[in-house]
Amino acid sequence: MPLIIAIDGPAAAGKGTLARRIAAHLNLAYLDTGLIYRAVGMKAQREGLEPVKAAQMLTPGDLKAPDLRSEAGGQAASKVASIPAVRAELLEFQRRFAEHPPTPAVGAVLDGRDIGTVVCPNAGIKLFITASDEARAGRRHKELLERGESSIYARVLEEMQARDERDRNRSVAPLVPAPDAVVLDTTLLTADAAFEAALRIIADRTHA
Ligand code: CDP
């Protein structure tokens, strides 16, 4: 059985950075499932497609569209992500990746909203990464500015809260920690401290 690490949590909690570092450190493959929903949302908008059709027709090239990481990409993602048939369409690919990670990886790290609850309920390790709304909006605002995009903190905070609200209240695969997830609040942690804390949780669980 490959080691599967599920990392879930609200927007901009630092899941991606953490997941990438854990994957590199432990020789695991990494899948950013949010990027898939972003690609479906943007493809539907760009090509005027019905969202389920966009999910069915998704190509590797769509995952490289330049605007995926924008807040518009996040909003488009969370709209299509609330449609059960879109989620169903993307489920098999995510499960396959987790269960048969590309060689030479010895397992996989997936990050998203429903990895521990729906995609990989049998994952050996489940982390739920959170931080205060202000800390998360501050990090996303900084990230956008560093990428050379224009950003207004108050707007980032408002859009992030709207997206979290939609993700928490949808009928299918809502954003919620799995009952067996370890919750890690990173409000007061640097990225390095969050990484160290996650490694300790993983070590505790894998050696138990
Ligand atoms: O980077 P950030 O945390 O802001 O967002 P993301 O992980 O790229 O996810 C973008 C959106 O995709 C989320 O707001 C969710 O609506 C949706 N999503 C989901 O429903 N299920 C997942 N497993 C991953 C993302």
Side-chain angles (χ1 to χ4, degrees):
M1 263 298 272
L3 171 65
I4 299 175
I5 301 182
I7 303 186
D8 292 302
K15 303 178 298 292
T17 309
L18 186 62
R20 246 181 226 103
R21 286 182 72 172
I22 291 172
H25 190 76
L26 299 176
N27 286 319
L28 307 172
Y30 168 55
L31 183 65
D32 175 357
T33 68
L35 196 67
I36 304 175
Y37 286 94
R38 286 170 183 263
V40 171
M42 293 308 258
K43 184 181 178 76
Q45 264 181 22
R46 193 174 58 241
E47 299 177 22
L49 290 170
E50 198 274 314
V52 180
K53 206 95 228 112
Q56 285 165 345
M57 292 171 57
L58 201 68
T59 65
D62 293 324
L63 294 168
K64 299 197 178 96
D67 49 358
L68 295 187
R69 305 271 180 201
S70 64
E71 198 41 45
Q75 296 294 340
S78 99
K79 285 180 188 148
V80 297
S82 68
I83 304 169
V86 168
R87 306 197 69 86
E89 203 55 58
L90 302 176
L91 190 57
E92 205 42 48
F93 171 78
Q94 298 173 74
R95 282 203 178 134
R96 263 201 79 74
F97 185 96
E99 284 161 19
H100 306 279
T103 46
V106 295
V109 183
L110 283 80
D111 83 40
R113 302 291 184 286
D114 63 339
I115 308 303
T117 50
V118 176
V119 179
C120 303
N122 298 323
I125 309 219
K126 298 182 186 179
L127 298 173
F128 192 88
I129 310 299
T130 67
S132 70
D133 288 9
E134 290 72 21
R136 293 187 290 117
R139 289 176 196 163
R140 182 55 49 94
H141 175 58
K142 187 162 163 267
E143 189 184 312
L144 290 167
L145 293 179
E146 279 169 3
R147 280 211 307 263
E149 293 181 29
S150 63
S151 176
I152 299 166
Y153 170 79
R155 190 125 180 241
V156 172
L157 177 64
E158 197 181 305
E159 289 187 345
M160 195 193 76
Q161 287 172 327
R163 183 147 66 89
D164 285 345
E165 170 93 3
R166 195 184 297 128
D167 290 348
R168 285 197 181 98
N169 293 313
R170 67 186 175 212
S171 62
V172 57
L175 168 65
V176 61
D180 51 347
V182 179
V183 179
L184 180 61
D185 187 324
T186 67
T187 306
L188 301 174
L189 300 183
T190 61
D192 283 347
F195 177 57
E196 296 301 329
L199 284 186
R200 275 196 299 276
I201 294 166
I202 294 167
D204 282 354
R205 294 247 153 167
T206 41
H207 299 138

